[in-house]
Amino acid sequence: MSSNDPVDVYGFIHAKLRARIGKMRQDRLVENLLKAPTLVDAVALLRDSPYRRVAEVYDRTGDLQQMELVLLYTEIEMHRLVTKYLEGRPAGLVDHLLAKIELDNLKNTIRLWYSSIVRRRPIRFRSEYLFKEQILTPIDWVALVNTTSWQEVQKLLSHTPYHEVVSSFTMEMIEEEGLFLLESRLDRAWYVRLMETLDTLSARDREVARSIFLVEIDLRNLATLVRYGRYYQMDGSDIAALLLPWGTVASSKEGARYLAQSPTERDALALINHFYRGLEVIEVGAKRSSSHNEDPGVLENLQIEEYLAQRRTELYQKILGGDPFTIGLVLAYFFLFKEETATIKATINGKYYGYSEEYIRGVIG
Amino acid sequence: MNLFTRPMRLLTAVVLEETGDAVVKALLELGVLDFVHLNRLDPAQMEKLSSRPSAISRTMLEDLRSRVEALLRQGHISLPSAQNLDVRRLEKPDMEQYRATLDGLTASLLSIKEEQKQSNQILMGLEEIRRYLDEDKGEYLDLRVGSIPSDKTADLAARISSFGGLLEALGDEGTLVSLTLRRDVAQVDPILEKFGWTEASDPTLQREAITVIRTRLEGERQRALAGRQESEKAADAIIASKREELFSIWSNLRLNELSDQIKSYFSYTNNTTLFSGWVPVDQSEKVREAIITASDGQCVIEWTEAGEVDRSEVPVAITSPKALKPFQNMVNNYATPEYGTVNPTIFVMIAYLTMFGLMFADLGQGLVLLIAGILFSRSYKKNPLKKEGMITRNVANLLVYLGLSSMLFGVLFGSTFGLDLFPALWFPYEAVVAGHAPADSLITDVYGILGLTIKFGIVIIYMGLVLNWINLARKRNFLTLVLDKNGIVGGLLFAVGLYMGFGFVGSGYHSFPSGAWIAPTIAISLVALLSRPFIHAVIEAKESGVKPKVGSLIMDGLMEWLVDVLEIFTGYLSNTLSFMRVAGLGIAHASLMESFRMLQDLAGGAGGIAIFIAGNLLVIVLEGLSAGIQSLRLNYYEFFSRYFSGKGVAYHPVGLTTSSRTRS
């Protein structure tokens, strides 16, 4: 019989995840990877880490994308392991985080399909880099990447949570506008289900989870406003459709004023500073500019995104120091874990292309 | 084996600067000097000394050595060890040349890996097609049989292969088979049309086409697989071809790192080099001779005995036989003993193995542990690079001892896989637990077992106390030796407590013993304990010349005394009773085996045998783990708390075997 006592629910998984977080910090794998002079040195570091399978794949295939697929397997296994040790409603939230991985896999599959069928570029072996087993929902990934019509794609997703969004797009829309809007709507749908899932949690867990995800949503909305409002200079109404309708940013007057302005008038720094003071004192911009010879708009965008990423990190650090018997620790662990795997991916790719440590740090923030 | 920590002496030496390198080499080869920074000279003299920054930073040396190790590991070559280091080959490293060598090798390797990646990608494409054929997923494939008018088969094949497809001749009459993925139909169709493709009308050719194309597909797949494997071997081979050079670079870098580490402790005047460090007494003559030889006799060497220095500054070295390594590790994991105190290793071994044997007494199960320990140890010896799993090297070695202990106590208690196959040499443990011990047995009920383990605990506690007294006597700390809760007074009160306790039990839990000496003994002991802080204050006042405040002395003294009394009366009692867990686990072990025996009898036949085996395995894993953990706990808490202060500083000499991971 499942217990409602937070200590019963979270006691074991708390101890397990704390040990893993401690090991992450102790091993300093990411830091050492960034410092590795070559790809060979980076792979050597992975041999002694929990990611040794990634190194083994490199030995066998020399293929970075196969290494990334192993990392994806590792992520999925991690989610399943945590779900195994949780019961009831908290496990449901972890399953929804796994659904995000499934959604990303779906987007990758649709992109490959688009490249093959719409753009008529042969994808060849690239479909082998997709995760083809069931993640959460039974989806025939093989059929999806091999189908030759959009109707068939919609049919293959008919019994999935993605059907509603996918079926609202026609082949003509896809051909003319590309996948950007489709992917944005899929992401939004995920967030809608997320908020519904949060409502099923216990009061304490709901409070903790909402405090995390509402900040996440605010940070994402700010990044959207800056990227599409300032850098891509999209119309206000188009950007508004991309915003997630929760948190403080989406419904704020400052956000509305920003959208109402013309693209050249929009002041991204002022917008950010309204919600998160201190952006003007960030030093990393200087570090970035020395290694990234790009235009000022890109640099500004990168600087802002890094600043927002730091706010996200601070949020999770705070959660780690809070009540251990809530869903907060689980969410913080997944954040750190995803950050680690994302950095590993970016670093091994950066080393492959011979980028310096400074450059790679500049990209990942 | 040293019963106490190894005696140490502090060396301080001055050599001419021109002989500094030779001296470094000599000291590195000996590897017995635990260097300290020179801070014992007076400030005026210290001002004349300077340090010298390294020509090549140690970080650069370490980074380059890491690169060499990464390459060797990529080539699946075992890393060189301290055995590969020869100080006579120590020379200034040519960092530029080393980097060029490593960069060149890395570039060649990455080029091979790129080829490997391409083979892998071709292989993946072919695997996808093969999978669709094998799984009857023909709907994902586009198989055509036809012909083209002109002899441009090679061109068409090249175009088809750009989609990952295959074009193969079918027979000798110009018929071709094309196999591509259905999703590429929109691009392949125009190509076929451009080449004038005509579909064959004979339907029987389809079947033949599948066979032909499968054969071709398999051939291509094998070629791609072989290509990928050849690249993997080539990557290893290219590194293997440079093995000697890499080992040489690694060795020189490592020697330079160690040399730099030694030099970081050196101080310099214009013409001389000064250094200082701790040496085990039994090595001091060797060190002296080595310095004299290396410096051509132009040196000054002074020795300071450990007794002249604060004990906490003297590094602690413990020598135990290699066979006792698992127990040495237990001690090291806890803390480092103080200099001059007892080496706890052998006592830990005796205590730990006895505790384990009492909790896990079985000849057969012990044999299983012994065999497991031997097998795992052998496996690690054969494969030095093997990653440690749940059974680490240390645990494997420990299992051998645990197995032997369990076997010995199994013989004493007459238990073999839970069966009484032979009479017990001491008493039949399982029969006692089951309640049908023979009348002439030394112990006839579980209370007897409980009593036995309590007595065992008393022996362990007193062993700890005696070790503490020896340590305190060697430290000449006679006040604590006599008047501490772990001193003679504490031991005496514990003995009185035991007398009272056993007397109470012996009276049938009716009354305590009433000797006339008891109350005065307790009273005198308590008063003696109370006097300690005041005596200590008087001694301190005499030494420092500073008188303590009377009020705070009385308060602090009383508080300290109250805490000590509380700790004596509750601590000794709880520590003694804690050993009942030895009985508890032993009884649980016997009870579990009894239960499995009953189930085995009930099931009978093959089922009974299966229960017998599964039951023994379960008990070995669960009870073995519990017994191991509880034995460790009893050692760390009940035993160590009596005598092991753990205030020592570990001895870390710089030598060829210095671990690169333990360097600060």
Side-chain angles (χ1 to χ4, degrees), chain B residues 123-138:
Chain B
L123 179 64
M124 286 198 307
L126 294 167
E127 289 274 2
E128 186 184 11
I129 295 175
R130 188 176 87 132
R131 218 167 39 242
Y132 296 156
L133 279 172
D134 288 346
E135 292 170 10
D136 270 333
K137 296 263 168 81

Side-chain angles (χ1 to χ4, degrees), chain A residues 40-41 44 47-48 58-63 66 116-117 122-125 127-129 143 146 352, chain B residues 67 70 73-74 76 113-114 116-117 120-121 124 128 131-132 140 162-163 183 187 228 232 387:
Chain A
V40 173
D41 298 279
R47 286 184 210 286
D48 291 327
Y58 180 71
D59 287 346
R60 210 171 56 247
T61 68
D63 194 337
Q66 287 243 259
S116 171
I117 303 301
I123 58 175
R124 293 187 62 189
F125 48 80
S127 64
E128 294 297 280
Y129 294 132
N146 277 292
Y352 174 79
Chain B
R67 280 194 67 187
R73 296 190 73 186
Q74 181 64 60
H76 303 96
K113 296 304 271 184
E114 191 61 30
Q116 187 185 26
K117 184 185 92 172
N120 186 60
Q121 287 174 341
M124 286 198 307
E128 186 184 11
R131 218 167 39 242
Y132 296 156
Y140 301 147
S162 70
F163 292 94
R183 64 186 184 230
Q187 295 113 75
R228 193 181 80 176
E232 191 176 352
K387 278 256 171 262

Side-chain angles (χ1 to χ4, degrees), chain A residues 34 284 287-289 291-292 294 298-299 301-303 305-306 309 342-343 345-347 349-350 355-365:
Chain A
L34 284 164
V284 71
K287 219 165 51 173
R288 273 219 162 115
S289 62
S291 55
H292 289 256
E294 291 148 4
V298 171
L299 288 174
N301 199 44
L302 287 173
Q303 182 182 0
E305 291 194 357
E306 178 171 340
T343 307
K345 262 186 239 176
T347 306
N349 277 284
Y355 294 142
S356 67
E357 176 189 342
E358 200 188 31
Y359 187 95
I360 299 171
R361 280 186 193 276
V363 168
I364 61 177

Side-chain angles (χ1 to χ4, degrees), chain A residues 191-297:
Chain A
Y191 275 96
V192 167
R193 289 196 300 280
L194 171 69
M195 300 313 280
E196 288 165 5
T197 307
L198 294 188
D199 286 338
T200 67
L201 297 174
S202 69
R204 181 76 188 113
D205 278 349
R206 187 164 57 243
E207 187 193 329
V208 168
R210 280 183 75 90
S211 71
I212 294 171
F213 284 111
L214 288 178
V215 171
E216 277 272 358
I217 287 168
D218 278 345
L219 293 172
R220 191 187 155 102
N221 281 339
L222 282 172
T224 299
L225 285 168
V226 169
R227 191 183 298 147
Y228 299 110
R230 176 103 175 110
Y231 185 61
Y232 286 108
Q233 301 190 343
M234 280 168 69
D235 283 345
S237 56
D238 291 337
I239 303 170
L242 298 176
L243 295 178
L244 299 169
W246 302 277
T248 47
V249 171
S251 54
S252 65
K253 285 181 193 161
E254 287 70 24
R257 198 176 312 136
Y258 179 90
L259 288 174
Q261 289 168 329
S262 71
T264 47
E265 286 174 337
R266 289 168 184 157
D267 186 347
L269 291 182
L271 176 72
I272 302 285
N273 272 308
H274 177 81
F275 294 98
Y276 293 101
R277 290 213 169 278
L279 178 55
E280 66 272 14
V281 301
I282 292 293
E283 294 169 1
V284 71
K287 219 165 51 173
R288 273 219 162 115
S289 62
S290 68
S291 55
H292 289 256
N293 295 323
E294 291 148 4
D295 71 62

Side-chain angles (χ1 to χ4, degrees), chain B residues 377-390:
Chain B
S377 296
R378 274 211 185 136
S379 168
Y380 280 123
K381 267 198 188 124
K382 272 190 194 165
N383 308 302
L385 281 186
K386 184 178 171 177
K387 278 256 171 262
E388 287 185 336
M390 213 158 46

